[in-house]
Structure formats: C-alpha cells, structure tokens
Amino acid sequence: MKINYYSDTDSLYIHLLDKPSIDSQEISEGVVLDYDENGNLVGIDIDNASKKVQLNELILNQLPSNIMKVAA
C-alpha cells in the first residue's frame, strides 16, 4: 500500500493494490474509489484532502509490514 499526497492539487491517493484501475465510482463529493478488472478496490482518490482528512498525523497499528518514509 502506498499513500501519496500532492500539495499542488491538495489531493491524496491511497494505492491499495499495484494494479491498474479500469472503473471508478465517486462515493461522495471529491472521493473516488478505483477498481480493477475483477471489481477489486485498488485505490482511493480524495480531492481537497486537507479539508477532509487529518493529514498531519498517520497512525499505523499492528500492520504486518515494513514501513518506509519518503521525504518530499
């Protein structure tokens, strides 16, 4: 999973799976879910993210993975 924030557009994209999306559905204003060819959720796109998401804090609890921080 990758989380990318784009400050120039104030958008946040959460990559859940490393697969291309072929379908999208807006579930609320500025929140779009992306799906692969099998209908699996592959990503979440959030426009105006700073108004919808608490961007200054990320808490990961008991995830069985390696965590890497990439400075912008």
Side-chain angles (χ1 to χ4, degrees), residues 12 14 24-35 43-49 52-53:
L12 181 73
I14 303 168
S24 299
Q25 179 182 11
E26 186 170 30
I27 59 166
S28 67
E29 186 176 337
V31 179
V32 177
L33 303 181
D34 291 334
Y35 299 93
I44 303 169
D45 189 11
I46 303 171
D47 293 333
N48 299 308
K52 297 175 182 167
V53 178

Side-chain angles (χ1 to χ4, degrees), residues 1 5 8-9 11 28 34 38 40 43 45 50 59 61 64 70:
M1 178 169 50
Y5 176 69
D8 55 330
T9 58
S11 61
S28 67
D34 291 334
N38 297 318
N40 298 310
D45 189 11
S50 65
I59 298 172
N61 189 14
V70 180

Side-chain angles (χ1 to χ4, degrees), residues 49-68:
S50 65
K51 296 176 180 140
K52 297 175 182 167
V53 178
Q54 187 176 348
L55 295 172
N56 61 342
E57 184 177 15
L58 175 64
I59 298 172
L60 304 174
N61 189 14
Q62 299 180 355
L63 290 179
S65 64
N66 295 324
I67 299 170
M68 186 177 4

